[in-house]
Amino acid sequence: MNILVCISSVPDTTAKITFKDDNTTFNKDGVTHIIGPYDDYALARAIELKEELGGTVTVLNVGTAETEPQIRKALAIGADEAIRVDAEPTDSFFVAEQIAAVAKENSYDLIMMGRETTDYNSGVVHGIVGQLLGMPSLSPVMELNIDGNTAKISREIEGGKEKLEATLPLILGCQEPIAEWKIASMRGIMTARKKPLNVRPAVGEGLTSVSSYSLPPEKGDCKMIPAEEAEKLIDLLQNEAKVL
Amino acid sequence: MSVLIFAELEEGKIKKTSLEAIYYGSKVAEMTGGETVVLAIGEADSAELETAGAYGAVKVMHAGGQELKEANIVAYADTLTSAATQIGAKVIVTAKSSLADAVTARTAGALKAGVAGNVTELPDLSNGFEVIRSVFTGKAFAKTSINSEVKVLAIKKNAITPEISGNKAAVEDFMAPVSEEAGKAKVIKTLKETGTVSLPEADLVVSGGRGMKGPEHWQPLLDLAEALGATTACSKPVSDMDWRPHHEHVGQTGVKIAPNLYIACGISGAIQHLAGVNSSKVIVVINTDPEAPFFKAADYGIVGDAFEVLPKLTAAVKALK
């Protein structure tokens, strides 16, 4: 079982989001970056599958040299080797093209990633890759088991889930509870330093570009209602906020 | 240039968020000078599909074939790609959802289309084709220019308020060849709650966190939701502990919602939770801890025990009706 796991490097989920250069650039000062939380679930499940079935896990990141700590962490958690496509991941189609280019040169049974990145949230990269490679793509996947050449999958749908069976190779956008996030051991961190990390140039160009950013308006004050008069809330929701 | 809207069906009807997408698409068609066409895949009556006309559609292409009865991502995407090619659509619009993302992604791949997700406003055509989209999980907006010939827009709930006309759309059957990959992933079983509005569609949501103390204590929350006709949700710890099903989890790594009213009971309001609910119009927080960070993001707050407050609210809602 050879698995390619695509990881993004995103601001920590608790990070305060600000911009600089006249609101044209995301301000990375003081912001910790992490492996995309959804990608981290995909990575965790990929490593479990490797432990169960043998094979290799390759991690792929489209990013600048700044993302190498996240790549090293993925290697420390248990991936065998890594590829970094040296470019800013600014556009979904562009990122998908890079993944497809790597996948065409190798033969992976599974390509896994998060359902979406937590910075741009478009949730389309897996589908574009599937189309570019002529493989089925499924998302959001919350359970994955492999039986021979068949993947047994449960996919979240609005208000429930569906169970599927699909033939490998496949591309999956993943989310919890597909696996528990893994923490690197000290030995993992030591061996990660020696694992191969190949850097390659990007192909093609993006189809979208961001010209400026803005922040949502500040919330006004919270109107407090005493607990003993809780029923007054319903009147306020109906007549003041007009949402009932 | 023509605009094609990928509309999702729910129990034979066009979903409410898809109707918003149709209206949005019709406004884009007005700006660009083209037709507004809807693609609806799955089972539906013509009479139901005609209603797309009230939201600005001229025509509905209905792909109702047997092999499209289950939501097969590849088959749906192939059908959407064929429909877009047939009418020469330059803009494809959909309401953001996990199915729409998965489907339109493949079409974007096939047509080499630039994608903008979580679009919150009509495009600005004064300098190319620019849209505002919500990014960083609701914490910011990005003005994004789409430079490809074909463009895919996934719009966020409440991006536009439809004005409904008395028009009806022409409905025609549509069938397109489906690629071999479609047969490689088969749905075996669908487990779905019926009769409730799904969270991404919901206008009213009542949600519970760890402060609800256990799954056996959920009844007062369910009672309020029922009285309001609201959908129930929960925080990540609650879903992780299996107190509530995973599809109820709202937050950074769960469902992102944009209801008119979000009532949070016993949820402290960690930044990861806020990321999933910060698009709500009005937020009510009920918590025993007056220092709970959620109050800073709320419009109305009650410091108190949810088990005492919820029955009072339920009674007051029932008294309204």
Side-chain angles (χ1 to χ4, degrees), chain A residues 90-91 206-212, chain B residues 114-116 124 127-133 142-148 151 153:
Chain A
T90 52
D91 172 68
L207 305 178
T208 61
S209 55
V210 172
S211 55
S212 65
Chain B
V115 182
D124 176 356
N127 181 22
F129 193 104
E130 290 182 307
V131 290
I132 306 285
R133 61 183 168 131
K143 188 164 194 181
T144 305
S145 159
I146 310 178
N147 309 316
S148 51
K151 300 155 180 73
L153 310 180

mmCIF file with all atom_site columns, all heavy atoms in Angstrom, chain A residues 90-91 206-212, chain B residues 114-116 124 127-133 142-148 151 153:
data_model
loop_
_atom_site.group_PDB
_atom_site.id
_atom_site.type_symbol
_atom_site.label_atom_id
_atom_site.label_alt_id
_atom_site.label_comp_id
_atom_site.label_asym_id
_atom_site.label_entity_id
_atom_site.label_seq_id
_atom_site.pdbx_PDB_ins_code
_atom_site.Cartn_x
_atom_site.Cartn_y
_atom_site.Cartn_z
_atom_site.occupancy
_atom_site.B_iso_or_equiv
_atom_site.pdbx_formal_charge
_atom_site.auth_seq_id
_atom_site.auth_comp_id
_atom_site.auth_asym_id
_atom_site.auth_atom_id
_atom_site.pdbx_PDB_model_num
ATOM 1   N N   . THR A 1 90  ? -1.282  29.321 -3.645  1.00 0.00 ? 90  THR A N   1
ATOM 2   C CA  . THR A 1 90  ? -2.261  30.410 -3.619  1.00 0.00 ? 90  THR A CA  1
ATOM 3   C C   . THR A 1 90  ? -3.563  30.095 -4.344  1.00 0.00 ? 90  THR A C   1
ATOM 4   O O   . THR A 1 90  ? -4.512  30.848 -4.242  1.00 0.00 ? 90  THR A O   1
ATOM 5   C CB  . THR A 1 90  ? -1.662  31.676 -4.274  1.00 0.00 ? 90  THR A CB  1
ATOM 6   O OG1 . THR A 1 90  ? -1.156  31.288 -5.558  1.00 0.00 ? 90  THR A OG1 1
ATOM 7   C CG2 . THR A 1 90  ? -0.538  32.250 -3.449  1.00 0.00 ? 90  THR A CG2 1
ATOM 8   N N   . ASP A 1 91  ? -3.633  28.993 -5.073  1.00 0.00 ? 91  ASP A N   1
ATOM 9   C CA  . ASP A 1 91  ? -4.811  28.744 -5.892  1.00 0.00 ? 91  ASP A CA  1
ATOM 10  C C   . ASP A 1 91  ? -5.096  27.240 -5.917  1.00 0.00 ? 91  ASP A C   1
ATOM 11  O O   . ASP A 1 91  ? -4.176  26.434 -6.040  1.00 0.00 ? 91  ASP A O   1
ATOM 12  C CB  . ASP A 1 91  ? -4.518  29.269 -7.307  1.00 0.00 ? 91  ASP A CB  1
ATOM 13  C CG  . ASP A 1 91  ? -5.596  28.904 -8.305  1.00 0.00 ? 91  ASP A CG  1
ATOM 14  O OD1 . ASP A 1 91  ? -6.709  29.430 -8.178  1.00 0.00 ? 91  ASP A OD1 1
ATOM 15  O OD2 . ASP A 1 91  ? -5.334  28.066 -9.177  1.00 0.00 ? 91  ASP A OD2 1
ATOM 16  N N   . GLY A 1 206 ? -1.392  29.685 -11.337 1.00 0.00 ? 206 GLY A N   1
ATOM 17  C CA  . GLY A 1 206 ? -2.706  29.768 -10.710 1.00 0.00 ? 206 GLY A CA  1
ATOM 18  C C   . GLY A 1 206 ? -3.746  30.448 -11.586 1.00 0.00 ? 206 GLY A C   1
ATOM 19  O O   . GLY A 1 206 ? -3.414  31.200 -12.493 1.00 0.00 ? 206 GLY A O   1
ATOM 20  N N   . LEU A 1 207 ? -5.001  30.162 -11.284 1.00 0.00 ? 207 LEU A N   1
ATOM 21  C CA  . LEU A 1 207 ? -6.104  30.760 -12.047 1.00 0.00 ? 207 LEU A CA  1
ATOM 22  C C   . LEU A 1 207 ? -6.811  31.859 -11.258 1.00 0.00 ? 207 LEU A C   1
ATOM 23  O O   . LEU A 1 207 ? -7.697  32.530 -11.786 1.00 0.00 ? 207 LEU A O   1
ATOM 24  C CB  . LEU A 1 207 ? -7.122  29.675 -12.425 1.00 0.00 ? 207 LEU A CB  1
ATOM 25  C CG  . LEU A 1 207 ? -6.564  28.459 -13.193 1.00 0.00 ? 207 LEU A CG  1
ATOM 26  C CD1 . LEU A 1 207 ? -7.668  27.444 -13.448 1.00 0.00 ? 207 LEU A CD1 1
ATOM 27  C CD2 . LEU A 1 207 ? -5.941  28.900 -14.505 1.00 0.00 ? 207 LEU A CD2 1
ATOM 28  N N   . THR A 1 208 ? -6.433  32.002 -9.978  1.00 0.00 ? 208 THR A N   1
ATOM 29  C CA  . THR A 1 208 ? -7.037  33.062 -9.155  1.00 0.00 ? 208 THR A CA  1
ATOM 30  C C   . THR A 1 208 ? -5.924  33.794 -8.411  1.00 0.00 ? 208 THR A C   1
ATOM 31  O O   . THR A 1 208 ? -4.840  33.253 -8.222  1.00 0.00 ? 208 THR A O   1
ATOM 32  C CB  . THR A 1 208 ? -8.019  32.495 -8.103  1.00 0.00 ? 208 THR A CB  1
ATOM 33  O OG1 . THR A 1 208 ? -7.296  31.627 -7.231  1.00 0.00 ? 208 THR A OG1 1
ATOM 34  C CG2 . THR A 1 208 ? -9.170  31.727 -8.732  1.00 0.00 ? 208 THR A CG2 1
ATOM 35  N N   . SER A 1 209 ? -6.216  35.020 -7.994  1.00 0.00 ? 209 SER A N   1
ATOM 36  C CA  . SER A 1 209 ? -5.252  35.746 -7.166  1.00 0.00 ? 209 SER A CA  1
ATOM 37  C C   . SER A 1 209 ? -5.997  36.670 -6.225  1.00 0.00 ? 209 SER A C   1
ATOM 38  O O   . SER A 1 209 ? -7.072  37.167 -6.555  1.00 0.00 ? 209 SER A O   1
ATOM 39  C CB  . SER A 1 209 ? -4.309  36.550 -8.060  1.00 0.00 ? 209 SER A CB  1
ATOM 40  O OG  . SER A 1 209 ? -5.064  37.392 -8.904  1.00 0.00 ? 209 SER A OG  1
ATOM 41  N N   . VAL A 1 210 ? -5.412  36.871 -5.029  1.00 0.00 ? 210 VAL A N   1
ATOM 42  C CA  . VAL A 1 210 ? -6.044  37.737 -4.029  1.00 0.00 ? 210 VAL A CA  1
ATOM 43  C C   . VAL A 1 210 ? -5.430  39.124 -4.121  1.00 0.00 ? 210 VAL A C   1
ATOM 44  O O   . VAL A 1 210 ? -4.208  39.259 -4.133  1.00 0.00 ? 210 VAL A O   1
ATOM 45  C CB  . VAL A 1 210 ? -5.861  37.150 -2.614  1.00 0.00 ? 210 VAL A CB  1
ATOM 46  C CG1 . VAL A 1 210 ? -6.349  38.129 -1.546  1.00 0.00 ? 210 VAL A CG1 1
ATOM 47  C CG2 . VAL A 1 210 ? -6.598  35.817 -2.492  1.00 0.00 ? 210 VAL A CG2 1
ATOM 48  N N   . SER A 1 211 ? -6.286  40.163 -4.218  1.00 0.00 ? 211 SER A N   1
ATOM 49  C CA  . SER A 1 211 ? -5.739  41.516 -4.299  1.00 0.00 ? 211 SER A CA  1
ATOM 50  C C   . SER A 1 211 ? -5.724  42.210 -2.944  1.00 0.00 ? 211 SER A C   1
ATOM 51  O O   . SER A 1 211 ? -4.850  43.026 -2.674  1.00 0.00 ? 211 SER A O   1
ATOM 52  C CB  . SER A 1 211 ? -6.514  42.351 -5.318  1.00 0.00 ? 211 SER A CB  1
ATOM 53  O OG  . SER A 1 211 ? -7.882  42.342 -5.008  1.00 0.00 ? 211 SER A OG  1
ATOM 54  N N   . SER A 1 212 ? -6.710  41.902 -2.084  1.00 0.00 ? 212 SER A N   1
ATOM 55  C CA  . SER A 1 212 ? -6.675  42.494 -0.741  1.00 0.00 ? 212 SER A CA  1
ATOM 56  C C   . SER A 1 212 ? -7.512  41.680 0.233   1.00 0.00 ? 212 SER A C   1
ATOM 57  O O   . SER A 1 212 ? -8.366  40.892 -0.170  1.00 0.00 ? 212 SER A O   1
ATOM 58  C CB  . SER A 1 212 ? -7.190  43.933 -0.785  1.00 0.00 ? 212 SER A CB  1
ATOM 59  O OG  . SER A 1 212 ? -8.556  43.937 -1.145  1.00 0.00 ? 212 SER A OG  1
ATOM 60  N N   . GLY B 2 114 ? -10.991 28.421 -12.574 1.00 0.00 ? 114 GLY B N   1
ATOM 61  C CA  . GLY B 2 114 ? -10.597 28.930 -11.273 1.00 0.00 ? 114 GLY B CA  1
ATOM 62  C C   . GLY B 2 114 ? -11.781 28.849 -10.318 1.00 0.00 ? 114 GLY B C   1
ATOM 63  O O   . GLY B 2 114 ? -12.920 29.082 -10.711 1.00 0.00 ? 114 GLY B O   1
ATOM 64  N N   . VAL B 2 115 ? -11.511 28.493 -9.049  1.00 0.00 ? 115 VAL B N   1
ATOM 65  C CA  . VAL B 2 115 ? -12.587 28.306 -8.066  1.00 0.00 ? 115 VAL B CA  1
ATOM 66  C C   . VAL B 2 115 ? -12.463 29.346 -6.961  1.00 0.00 ? 115 VAL B C   1
ATOM 67  O O   . VAL B 2 115 ? -11.372 29.584 -6.451  1.00 0.00 ? 115 VAL B O   1
ATOM 68  C CB  . VAL B 2 115 ? -12.497 26.898 -7.417  1.00 0.00 ? 115 VAL B CB  1
ATOM 69  C CG1 . VAL B 2 115 ? -13.635 26.688 -6.432  1.00 0.00 ? 115 VAL B CG1 1
ATOM 70  C CG2 . VAL B 2 115 ? -12.482 25.808 -8.473  1.00 0.00 ? 115 VAL B CG2 1
ATOM 71  N N   . ALA B 2 116 ? -13.589 29.953 -6.590  1.00 0.00 ? 116 ALA B N   1
ATOM 72  C CA  . ALA B 2 116 ? -13.646 30.774 -5.379  1.00 0.00 ? 116 ALA B CA  1
ATOM 73  C C   . ALA B 2 116 ? -14.738 30.200 -4.487  1.00 0.00 ? 116 ALA B C   1
ATOM 74  O O   . ALA B 2 116 ? -15.897 30.121 -4.899  1.00 0.00 ? 116 ALA B O   1
ATOM 75  C CB  . ALA B 2 116 ? -13.928 32.234 -5.717  1.00 0.00 ? 116 ALA B CB  1
ATOM 76  N N   . ASP B 2 124 ? -17.585 41.851 -8.699  1.00 0.00 ? 124 ASP B N   1
ATOM 77  C CA  . ASP B 2 124 ? -17.298 43.200 -9.161  1.00 0.00 ? 124 ASP B CA  1
ATOM 78  C C   . ASP B 2 124 ? -16.622 43.027 -10.524 1.00 0.00 ? 124 ASP B C   1
ATOM 79  O O   . ASP B 2 124 ? -15.562 42.409 -10.627 1.00 0.00 ? 124 ASP B O   1
ATOM 80  C CB  . ASP B 2 124 ? -16.353 43.856 -8.138  1.00 0.00 ? 124 ASP B CB  1
ATOM 81  C CG  . ASP B 2 124 ? -15.901 45.238 -8.573  1.00 0.00 ? 124 ASP B CG  1
ATOM 82  O OD1 . ASP B 2 124 ? -16.254 45.651 -9.704  1.00 0.00 ? 124 ASP B OD1 1
ATOM 83  O OD2 . ASP B 2 124 ? -15.184 45.893 -7.795  1.00 0.00 ? 124 ASP B OD2 1
ATOM 84  N N   . ASN B 2 127 ? -13.029 45.487 -12.775 1.00 0.00 ? 127 ASN B N   1
ATOM 85  C CA  . ASN B 2 127 ? -11.600 45.225 -12.999 1.00 0.00 ? 127 ASN B CA  1
ATOM 86  C C   . ASN B 2 127 ? -11.427 43.713 -13.151 1.00 0.00 ? 127 ASN B C   1
ATOM 87  O O   . ASN B 2 127 ? -11.000 43.021 -12.243 1.00 0.00 ? 127 ASN B O   1
ATOM 88  C CB  . ASN B 2 127 ? -10.817 45.776 -11.795 1.00 0.00 ? 127 ASN B CB  1
ATOM 89  C CG  . ASN B 2 127 ? -9.335  45.568 -11.948 1.00 0.00 ? 127 ASN B CG  1
ATOM 90  O OD1 . ASN B 2 127 ? -8.833  45.406 -13.055 1.00 0.00 ? 127 ASN B OD1 1
ATOM 91  N ND2 . ASN B 2 127 ? -8.631  45.531 -10.819 1.00 0.00 ? 127 ASN B ND2 1
ATOM 92  N N   . GLY B 2 128 ? -11.855 43.180 -14.294 1.00 0.00 ? 128 GLY B N   1
ATOM 93  C CA  . GLY B 2 128 ? -11.844 41.730 -14.483 1.00 0.00 ? 128 GLY B CA  1
ATOM 94  C C   . GLY B 2 128 ? -13.050 41.104 -13.808 1.00 0.00 ? 128 GLY B C   1
ATOM 95  O O   . GLY B 2 128 ? -14.161 41.634 -13.899 1.00 0.00 ? 128 GLY B O   1
ATOM 96  N N   . PHE B 2 129 ? -12.847 40.007 -13.085 1.00 0.00 ? 129 PHE B N   1
ATOM 97  C CA  . PHE B 2 129 ? -13.944 39.323 -12.399 1.00 0.00 ? 129 PHE B CA  1
ATOM 98  C C   . PHE B 2 129 ? -13.484 39.092 -10.966 1.00 0.00 ? 129 PHE B C   1
ATOM 99  O O   . PHE B 2 129 ? -12.686 38.200 -10.677 1.00 0.00 ? 129 PHE B O   1
ATOM 100 C CB  . PHE B 2 129 ? -14.243 37.986 -13.109 1.00 0.00 ? 129 PHE B CB  1
ATOM 101 C CG  . PHE B 2 129 ? -15.534 37.342 -12.687 1.00 0.00 ? 129 PHE B CG  1
ATOM 102 C CD1 . PHE B 2 129 ? -16.651 37.386 -13.520 1.00 0.00 ? 129 PHE B CD1 1
ATOM 103 C CD2 . PHE B 2 129 ? -15.638 36.671 -11.468 1.00 0.00 ? 129 PHE B CD2 1
ATOM 104 C CE1 . PHE B 2 129 ? -17.847 36.778 -13.139 1.00 0.00 ? 129 PHE B CE1 1
ATOM 105 C CE2 . PHE B 2 129 ? -16.835 36.078 -11.080 1.00 0.00 ? 129 PHE B CE2 1
ATOM 106 C CZ  . PHE B 2 129 ? -17.939 36.125 -11.927 1.00 0.00 ? 129 PHE B CZ  1
ATOM 107 N N   . GLU B 2 130 ? -13.955 39.945 -10.061 1.00 0.00 ? 130 GLU B N   1
ATOM 108 C CA  . GLU B 2 130 ? -13.499 39.862 -8.673  1.00 0.00 ? 130 GLU B CA  1
ATOM 109 C C   . GLU B 2 130 ? -14.661 39.533 -7.744  1.00 0.00 ? 130 GLU B C   1
ATOM 110 O O   . GLU B 2 130 ? -15.759 40.065 -7.903  1.00 0.00 ? 130 GLU B O   1
ATOM 111 C CB  . GLU B 2 130 ? -12.886 41.193 -8.228  1.00 0.00 ? 130 GLU B CB  1
ATOM 112 C CG  . GLU B 2 130 ? -11.545 41.500 -8.894  1.00 0.00 ? 130 GLU B CG  1
ATOM 113 C CD  . GLU B 2 130 ? -10.949 42.810 -8.397  1.00 0.00 ? 130 GLU B CD  1
ATOM 114 O OE1 . GLU B 2 130 ? -11.637 43.839 -8.445  1.00 0.00 ? 130 GLU B OE1 1
ATOM 115 O OE2 . GLU B 2 130 ? -9.790  42.783 -7.949  1.00 0.00 ? 130 GLU B OE2 1
ATOM 116 N N   . VAL B 2 131 ? -14.378 38.668 -6.775  1.00 0.00 ? 131 VAL B N   1
ATOM 117 C CA  . VAL B 2 131 ? -15.390 38.344 -5.766  1.00 0.00 ? 131 VAL B CA  1
ATOM 118 C C   . VAL B 2 131 ? -14.784 38.497 -4.376  1.00 0.00 ? 131 VAL B C   1
ATOM 119 O O   . VAL B 2 131 ? -13.573 38.457 -4.205  1.00 0.00 ? 131 VAL B O   1
ATOM 120 C CB  . VAL B 2 131 ? -15.912 36.891 -5.915  1.00 0.00 ? 131 VAL B CB  1
ATOM 121 C CG1 . VAL B 2 131 ? -16.759 36.727 -7.157  1.00 0.00 ? 131 VAL B CG1 1
ATOM 122 C CG2 . VAL B 2 131 ? -14.776 35.883 -5.897  1.00 0.00 ? 131 VAL B CG2 1
ATOM 123 N N   . ILE B 2 132 ? -15.663 38.685 -3.398  1.00 0.00 ? 132 ILE B N   1
ATOM 124 C CA  . ILE B 2 132 ? -15.232 38.672 -1.996  1.00 0.00 ? 132 ILE B CA  1
ATOM 125 C C   . ILE B 2 132 ? -15.570 37.295 -1.460  1.00 0.00 ? 132 ILE B C   1
ATOM 126 O O   . ILE B 2 132 ? -16.693 36.808 -1.628  1.00 0.00 ? 132 ILE B O   1
ATOM 127 C CB  . ILE B 2 132 ? -15.999 39.721 -1.153  1.00 0.00 ? 132 ILE B CB  1
ATOM 128 C CG1 . ILE B 2 132 ? -15.894 41.121 -1.758  1.00 0.00 ? 132 ILE B CG1 1
ATOM 129 C CG2 . ILE B 2 132 ? -15.523 39.690 0.302   1.00 0.00 ? 132 ILE B CG2 1
ATOM 130 C CD1 . ILE B 2 132 ? -14.593 41.825 -1.573  1.00 0.00 ? 132 ILE B CD1 1
ATOM 131 N N   . ARG B 2 133 ? -14.614 36.637 -0.842  1.00 0.00 ? 133 ARG B N   1
ATOM 132 C CA  . ARG B 2 133 ? -14.905 35.346 -0.228  1.00 0.00 ? 133 ARG B CA  1
ATOM 133 C C   . ARG B 2 133 ? -14.408 35.321 1.209   1.00 0.00 ? 133 ARG B C   1
ATOM 134 O O   . ARG B 2 133 ? -13.455 36.011 1.565   1.00 0.00 ? 133 ARG B O   1
ATOM 135 C CB  . ARG B 2 133 ? -14.289 34.204 -1.041  1.00 0.00 ? 133 ARG B CB  1
ATOM 136 C CG  . ARG B 2 133 ? -12.788 34.281 -1.145  1.00 0.00 ? 133 ARG B CG  1
ATOM 137 C CD  . ARG B 2 133 ? -12.241 33.162 -2.026  1.00 0.00 ? 133 ARG B CD  1
ATOM 138 N NE  . ARG B 2 133 ? -10.860 33.418 -2.331  1.00 0.00 ? 133 ARG B NE  1
ATOM 139 C CZ  . ARG B 2 133 ? -9.870  32.510 -2.205  1.00 0.00 ? 133 ARG B CZ  1
ATOM 140 N NH1 . ARG B 2 133 ? -10.151 31.297 -1.813  1.00 0.00 ? 133 ARG B NH1 1
ATOM 141 N NH2 . ARG B 2 133 ? -8.632  32.835 -2.493  1.00 0.00 ? 133 ARG B NH2 1
ATOM 142 N N   . ALA B 2 142 ? -11.299 37.825 1.583   1.00 0.00 ? 142 ALA B N   1
ATOM 143 C CA  . ALA B 2 142 ? -10.262 38.064 0.573   1.00 0.00 ? 142 ALA B CA  1
ATOM 144 C C   . ALA B 2 142 ? -10.925 38.472 -0.725  1.00 0.00 ? 142 ALA B C   1
ATOM 145 O O   . ALA B 2 142 ? -11.820 37.789 -1.222  1.00 0.00 ? 142 ALA B O   1
ATOM 146 C CB  . ALA B 2 142 ? -9.434  36.799 0.360   1.00 0.00 ? 142 ALA B CB  1
ATOM 147 N N   . LYS B 2 143 ? -10.501 39.607 -1.261  1.00 0.00 ? 143 LYS B N   1
ATOM 148 C CA  . LYS B 2 143 ? -10.965 40.027 -2.581  1.00 0.00 ? 143 LYS B CA  1
ATOM 149 C C   . LYS B 2 143 ? -10.150 39.239 -3.600  1.00 0.00 ? 143 LYS B C   1
ATOM 150 O O   . LYS B 2 143 ? -8.921  39.328 -3.629  1.00 0.00 ? 143 LYS B O   1
ATOM 151 C CB  . LYS B 2 143 ? -10.764 41.537 -2.758  1.00 0.00 ? 143 LYS B CB  1
ATOM 152 C CG  . LYS B 2 143 ? -11.403 42.041 -4.048  1.00 0.00 ? 143 LYS B CG  1
ATOM 153 C CD  . LYS B 2 143 ? -11.561 43.556 -4.036  1.00 0.00 ? 143 LYS B CD  1
ATOM 154 C CE  . LYS B 2 143 ? -12.497 43.981 -5.157  1.00 0.00 ? 143 LYS B CE  1
ATOM 155 N NZ  . LYS B 2 143 ? -12.698 45.400 -5.261  1.00 0.00 ? 143 LYS B NZ  1
ATOM 156 N N   . THR B 2 144 ? -10.840 38.423 -4.373  1.00 0.00 ? 144 THR B N   1
ATOM 157 C CA  . THR B 2 144 ? -10.166 37.436 -5.214  1.00 0.00 ? 144 THR B CA  1
ATOM 158 C C   . THR B 2 144 ? -10.540 37.642 -6.664  1.00 0.00 ? 144 THR B C   1
ATOM 159 O O   . THR B 2 144 ? -11.724 37.749 -6.997  1.00 0.00 ? 144 THR B O   1
ATOM 160 C CB  . THR B 2 144 ? -10.573 36.017 -4.778  1.00 0.00 ? 144 THR B CB  1
ATOM 161 O OG1 . THR B 2 144 ? -10.294 35.880 -3.390  1.00 0.00 ? 144 THR B OG1 1
ATOM 162 C CG2 . THR B 2 144 ? -9.825  34.950 -5.565  1.00 0.00 ? 144 THR B CG2 1
ATOM 163 N N   . SER B 2 145 ? -9.536  37.666 -7.517  1.00 0.00 ? 145 SER B N   1
ATOM 164 C CA  . SER B 2 145 ? -9.766  37.824 -8.939  1.00 0.00 ? 145 SER B CA  1
ATOM 165 C C   . SER B 2 145 ? -9.668  36.441 -9.589  1.00 0.00 ? 145 SER B C   1
ATOM 166 O O   . SER B 2 145 ? -8.743  35.687 -9.317  1.00 0.00 ? 145 SER B O   1
ATOM 167 C CB  . SER B 2 145 ? -8.695  38.787 -9.447  1.00 0.00 ? 145 SER B CB  1
ATOM 168 O OG  . SER B 2 145 ? -8.542  38.639 -10.803 1.00 0.00 ? 145 SER B OG  1
ATOM 169 N N   . ILE B 2 146 ? -10.668 36.094 -10.404 1.00 0.00 ? 146 ILE B N   1
ATOM 170 C CA  . ILE B 2 146 ? -10.638 34.796 -11.107 1.00 0.00 ? 146 ILE B CA  1
ATOM 171 C C   . ILE B 2 146 ? -10.272 35.083 -12.553 1.00 0.00 ? 146 ILE B C   1
ATOM 172 O O   . ILE B 2 146 ? -10.981 35.811 -13.251 1.00 0.00 ? 146 ILE B O   1
ATOM 173 C CB  . ILE B 2 146 ? -11.988 34.070 -11.015 1.00 0.00 ? 146 ILE B CB  1
ATOM 174 C CG1 . ILE B 2 146 ? -12.477 34.023 -9.575  1.00 0.00 ? 146 ILE B CG1 1
ATOM 175 C CG2 . ILE B 2 146 ? -11.872 32.652 -11.570 1.00 0.00 ? 146 ILE B CG2 1
ATOM 176 C CD1 . ILE B 2 146 ? -13.825 33.364 -9.391  1.00 0.00 ? 146 ILE B CD1 1
ATOM 177 N N   . ASN B 2 147 ? -9.157  34.505 -12.993 1.00 0.00 ? 147 ASN B N   1
ATOM 178 C CA  . ASN B 2 147 ? -8.583  34.895 -14.276 1.00 0.00 ? 147 ASN B CA  1
ATOM 179 C C   . ASN B 2 147 ? -8.813  33.879 -15.398 1.00 0.00 ? 147 ASN B C   1
ATOM 180 O O   . ASN B 2 147 ? -8.411  34.122 -16.527 1.00 0.00 ? 147 ASN B O   1
ATOM 181 C CB  . ASN B 2 147 ? -7.077  35.143 -14.091 1.00 0.00 ? 147 ASN B CB  1
ATOM 182 C CG  . ASN B 2 147 ? -6.803  36.081 -12.919 1.00 0.00 ? 147 ASN B CG  1
ATOM 183 O OD1 . ASN B 2 147 ? -7.482  37.097 -12.758 1.00 0.00 ? 147 ASN B OD1 1
ATOM 184 N ND2 . ASN B 2 147 ? -5.867  35.736 -12.065 1.00 0.00 ? 147 ASN B ND2 1
ATOM 185 N N   . SER B 2 148 ? -9.451  32.748 -15.097 1.00 0.00 ? 148 SER B N   1
ATOM 186 C CA  . SER B 2 148 ? -9.681  31.730 -16.118 1.00 0.00 ? 148 SER B CA  1
ATOM 187 C C   . SER B 2 148 ? -10.940 32.060 -16.912 1.00 0.00 ? 148 SER B C   1
ATOM 188 O O   . SER B 2 148 ? -11.782 32.847 -16.466 1.00 0.00 ? 148 SER B O   1
ATOM 189 C CB  . SER B 2 148 ? -9.830  30.373 -15.449 1.00 0.00 ? 148 SER B CB  1
ATOM 190 O OG  . SER B 2 148 ? -10.782 30.461 -14.409 1.00 0.00 ? 148 SER B OG  1
ATOM 191 N N   . LYS B 2 151 ? -15.401 30.077 -14.701 1.00 0.00 ? 151 LYS B N   1
ATOM 192 C CA  . LYS B 2 151 ? -15.234 30.381 -13.285 1.00 0.00 ? 151 LYS B CA  1
ATOM 193 C C   . LYS B 2 151 ? -16.221 29.575 -12.458 1.00 0.00 ? 151 LYS B C   1
ATOM 194 O O   . LYS B 2 151 ? -17.379 29.441 -12.854 1.00 0.00 ? 151 LYS B O   1
ATOM 195 C CB  . LYS B 2 151 ? -15.469 31.883 -13.047 1.00 0.00 ? 151 LYS B CB  1
ATOM 196 C CG  . LYS B 2 151 ? -14.505 32.756 -13.821 1.00 0.00 ? 151 LYS B CG  1
ATOM 197 C CD  . LYS B 2 151 ? -15.069 34.140 -14.078 1.00 0.00 ? 151 LYS B CD  1
ATOM 198 C CE  . LYS B 2 151 ? -14.096 35.006 -14.848 1.00 0.00 ? 151 LYS B CE  1
ATOM 199 N NZ  . LYS B 2 151 ? -13.971 34.646 -16.271 1.00 0.00 ? 151 LYS B NZ  1
ATOM 200 N N   . LEU B 2 153 ? -18.016 29.455 -8.717  1.00 0.00 ? 153 LEU B N   1
ATOM 201 C CA  . LEU B 2 153 ? -18.253 30.184 -7.466  1.00 0.00 ? 153 LEU B CA  1
ATOM 202 C C   . LEU B 2 153 ? -19.114 29.329 -6.546  1.00 0.00 ? 153 LEU B C   1
ATOM 203 O O   . LEU B 2 153 ? -20.205 28.912 -6.931  1.00 0.00 ? 153 LEU B O   1
ATOM 204 C CB  . LEU B 2 153 ? -19.008 31.492 -7.727  1.00 0.00 ? 153 LEU B CB  1
ATOM 205 C CG  . LEU B 2 153 ? -18.498 32.448 -8.801  1.00 0.00 ? 153 LEU B CG  1
ATOM 206 C CD1 . LEU B 2 153 ? -19.418 33.673 -8.871  1.00 0.00 ? 153 LEU B CD1 1
ATOM 207 C CD2 . LEU B 2 153 ? -17.082 32.871 -8.489  1.00 0.00 ? 153 LEU B CD2 1
#
